[in-house]
């Protein structure tokens, strides 16, 4: 079954929204893959997961870790994201189509504000639609479905 694709666009702070959504997904028992734009964004997201809420720790490791297959939340930077250990939920914060996205149950695209984020997101939307995937968009600033 092809993945459902959810776009959260117009996001004031992509990492803050990703932290919230990943935390909720983990709390509901989902296995999560988080694909970040680059190593620096991965470092910031990893640090935020450690420090966001002391009583709401989200177990996570890098994709290269020997514990990746046993850990509910796995992080990778674009270009390092081959061979995710599970295929439940993928969050994409990079500007390109995630390799292997078709193996996931759900794909969540988190798109920032401004044309620099919107243009690559439109290209991904068009490609997902061309592939016949179920698409739904949400305005992250107002949290409403479009």
């Amino acid at each position: 079954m092809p993945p459902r694709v959810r776009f959260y666009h117009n996001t004031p702070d992509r990492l803050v929204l990703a932290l919230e959504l990943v935390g909720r997904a983990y709390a509901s028992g989902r296995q999560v893959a988080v694909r970040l734009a680059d190593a620096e964004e991965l470092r910031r997201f990893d640090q935020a997961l450690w420090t966001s809420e002391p009583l709401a720790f989200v177990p996570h490791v890098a994709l290269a870790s020997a514990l990746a297959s046993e850990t509910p939340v796995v992080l990778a930077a674009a270009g390092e994201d081959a061979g995710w250990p599970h295929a439940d939920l993928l969050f994409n914060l990079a500007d390109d189509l995630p390799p292997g996205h078709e193996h996931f149950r759900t794909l969540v695209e988190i798109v920032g504000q401004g044309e620099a984020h919107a243009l690559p997101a439109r290209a991904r939307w068009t490609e997902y639609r061309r592939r016949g995937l179920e698409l739904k968009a949400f305005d992250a600033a107002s949290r409403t479905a479009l």
Side-chain angles (χ1 to χ4, degrees):
M1 172 177 271
R4 296 175 304 162
V5 182
R6 305 296 179 248
F7 272 79
Y8 285 83
H9 65 90
N10 196 28
T11 306
D13 187 323
R14 295 176 328 127
L15 293 183
V16 168
L17 179 59
L19 281 170
E20 176 189 334
L21 296 176
V22 167
R24 286 195 316 201
Y26 166 70
S28 69
R30 305 284 302 264
Q31 291 184 311
V32 179
V34 183
R35 181 176 188 259
L36 297 131
D38 54 38
E40 175 57 25
E41 190 173 66
L42 187 148
R43 186 197 63 72
R44 289 192 344 258
F45 190 74
D46 174 55
Q47 186 64 36
L49 282 170
W50 282 105
T51 60
S52 62
E53 291 183 49
L55 298 177
F57 175 69
V58 175
H60 64 282
V61 296
L63 179 60
S65 169
L67 299 174
S69 64
E70 303 168 29
T71 307
V73 177
V74 179
L75 312 177
E80 303 172 347
D81 52 351
W84 294 103
H86 43 72
D88 183 15
L89 178 58
L90 172 62
F91 287 89
N92 186 38
L93 283 82
D95 284 341
D96 59 340
L97 239 58
H101 69 274
E102 61 277 358
H103 301 295
F104 285 85
R105 194 172 108 194
T106 305
L107 170 58
V108 177
E109 292 276 356
I110 299 180
V111 181
Q113 296 176 328
E115 286 301 302
H117 292 282
L119 289 174
R122 286 183 196 123
R124 291 191 310 277
W125 176 280
T126 300
E127 182 59 22
Y128 293 137
R129 186 175 22 172
R130 187 190 70 72
R131 294 176 184 203
L133 301 181
E134 175 192 326
L135 297 165
K136 190 162 190 175
F138 299 89
D139 184 331
S142 67
R143 294 293 181 94
T144 57
L146 299 175

